[in-house]
Short mmCIF file of all heavy atoms in Angstrom, two decimals:
data_model
loop_
_atom_site.label_atom_id
_atom_site.label_comp_id
_atom_site.label_asym_id
_atom_site.label_seq_id
_atom_site.Cartn_x
_atom_site.Cartn_y
_atom_site.Cartn_z
N GLU B 23 -42.51 21.63 3.04
CA GLU B 23 -43.24 20.56 3.67
C GLU B 23 -44.48 20.22 2.83
O GLU B 23 -44.82 19.02 2.65
CB GLU B 23 -43.63 21.06 5.06
CG GLU B 23 -44.38 20.04 5.89
CD GLU B 23 -43.44 18.92 6.20
OE1 GLU B 23 -42.23 19.02 6.34
OE2 GLU B 23 -43.90 17.76 6.50
N TYR B 30 -45.31 12.49 -1.49
CA TYR B 30 -45.58 11.26 -0.83
C TYR B 30 -46.97 10.75 -1.19
O TYR B 30 -47.27 9.57 -1.44
CB TYR B 30 -45.40 11.35 0.64
CG TYR B 30 -43.96 11.28 1.13
CD1 TYR B 30 -43.36 12.30 1.72
CD2 TYR B 30 -43.35 9.98 1.01
CE1 TYR B 30 -42.02 12.16 2.15
CE2 TYR B 30 -42.05 9.86 1.49
CZ TYR B 30 -41.36 10.96 2.01
OH TYR B 30 -40.05 10.82 2.45
N ASP B 71 -3.83 20.80 0.47
CA ASP B 71 -3.19 20.52 1.66
C ASP B 71 -3.58 19.20 2.21
O ASP B 71 -4.56 18.57 1.85
CB ASP B 71 -3.37 21.62 2.68
CG ASP B 71 -4.79 21.89 3.05
OD1 ASP B 71 -5.62 21.05 2.73
OD2 ASP B 71 -5.13 22.80 3.79
N HIS B 74 -7.22 18.29 3.92
CA HIS B 74 -8.29 17.93 2.96
C HIS B 74 -8.26 16.43 2.86
O HIS B 74 -9.35 15.79 2.94
CB HIS B 74 -8.25 18.63 1.70
CG HIS B 74 -9.19 18.08 0.62
ND1 HIS B 74 -10.48 18.58 0.64
CD2 HIS B 74 -9.06 17.11 -0.34
CE1 HIS B 74 -11.12 18.06 -0.37
NE2 HIS B 74 -10.31 17.11 -0.96
N PRO B 103 -5.26 -2.67 -6.08
CA PRO B 103 -5.68 -2.29 -4.75
C PRO B 103 -7.06 -2.09 -4.63
O PRO B 103 -7.89 -1.58 -5.59
CB PRO B 103 -4.94 -0.92 -4.59
CG PRO B 103 -4.71 -0.33 -5.90
CD PRO B 103 -4.48 -1.61 -6.81
N THR B 162 3.38 15.81 -23.38
CA THR B 162 2.52 14.72 -23.55
C THR B 162 2.49 13.92 -22.23
O THR B 162 1.68 13.05 -22.12
CB THR B 162 2.92 13.84 -24.71
OG1 THR B 162 4.27 13.48 -24.49
CG2 THR B 162 2.79 14.62 -26.02
N SER B 184 -7.69 3.63 2.05
CA SER B 184 -8.93 4.35 2.27
C SER B 184 -9.71 4.80 1.12
O SER B 184 -10.91 5.03 1.15
CB SER B 184 -8.74 5.56 3.21
OG SER B 184 -7.97 6.43 2.60
N PHE B 253 25.47 3.10 -17.20
CA PHE B 253 26.09 2.47 -16.09
C PHE B 253 27.58 2.09 -16.30
O PHE B 253 28.36 2.35 -15.46
CB PHE B 253 25.30 1.16 -15.73
CG PHE B 253 25.99 0.36 -14.58
CD1 PHE B 253 25.85 0.81 -13.33
CD2 PHE B 253 26.79 -0.77 -14.96
CE1 PHE B 253 26.44 0.10 -12.24
CE2 PHE B 253 27.36 -1.43 -13.90
CZ PHE B 253 27.22 -1.04 -12.59
N GLU B 264 45.74 3.54 -12.65
CA GLU B 264 46.72 2.79 -11.78
C GLU B 264 47.61 3.78 -11.04
O GLU B 264 48.32 4.52 -11.63
CB GLU B 264 47.58 1.85 -12.67
CG GLU B 264 48.39 0.98 -11.70
CD GLU B 264 49.19 -0.03 -12.59
OE1 GLU B 264 49.00 -0.02 -13.77
OE2 GLU B 264 49.90 -0.71 -12.02
N GLU B 312 34.53 28.89 15.58
CA GLU B 312 34.23 30.25 15.79
C GLU B 312 33.29 30.91 14.73
O GLU B 312 32.36 31.67 15.12
CB GLU B 312 35.51 31.11 15.64
CG GLU B 312 36.53 30.72 16.81
CD GLU B 312 36.07 30.99 18.13
OE1 GLU B 312 35.23 32.05 18.34
OE2 GLU B 312 36.38 30.32 19.13
N ARG B 342 35.32 39.50 7.06
CA ARG B 342 34.59 39.17 5.84
C ARG B 342 35.53 38.54 4.86
O ARG B 342 35.45 38.73 3.63
CB ARG B 342 34.03 40.49 5.18
CG ARG B 342 32.97 41.10 5.99
CD ARG B 342 32.45 42.31 5.25
NE ARG B 342 31.29 42.85 6.04
CZ ARG B 342 30.57 43.82 5.65
NH1 ARG B 342 30.74 44.46 4.51
NH2 ARG B 342 29.51 44.38 6.36
N ARG B 401 19.26 28.29 2.46
CA ARG B 401 19.04 29.37 1.42
C ARG B 401 19.73 29.10 0.13
O ARG B 401 20.76 28.35 0.06
CB ARG B 401 19.58 30.77 2.07
CG ARG B 401 19.04 31.12 3.39
CD ARG B 401 19.63 32.35 3.97
NE ARG B 401 19.27 32.63 5.31
CZ ARG B 401 18.20 33.28 5.74
NH1 ARG B 401 17.30 33.69 4.72
NH2 ARG B 401 17.86 33.47 6.91
N SER B 416 13.98 32.28 -20.35
CA SER B 416 14.19 32.50 -21.77
C SER B 416 12.89 32.35 -22.56
O SER B 416 12.03 31.48 -22.29
CB SER B 416 15.11 31.38 -22.35
OG SER B 416 14.54 30.08 -22.05
#
Side-chain angles (χ1 to χ4, degrees):
E23 185 68 25
Y30 278 113
D71 57 12
H74 173 81
T162 58
S184 62
F253 175 75
E264 184 177 358
E312 298 294 331
R342 296 186 179 182
R401 305 179 188 275
S416 61

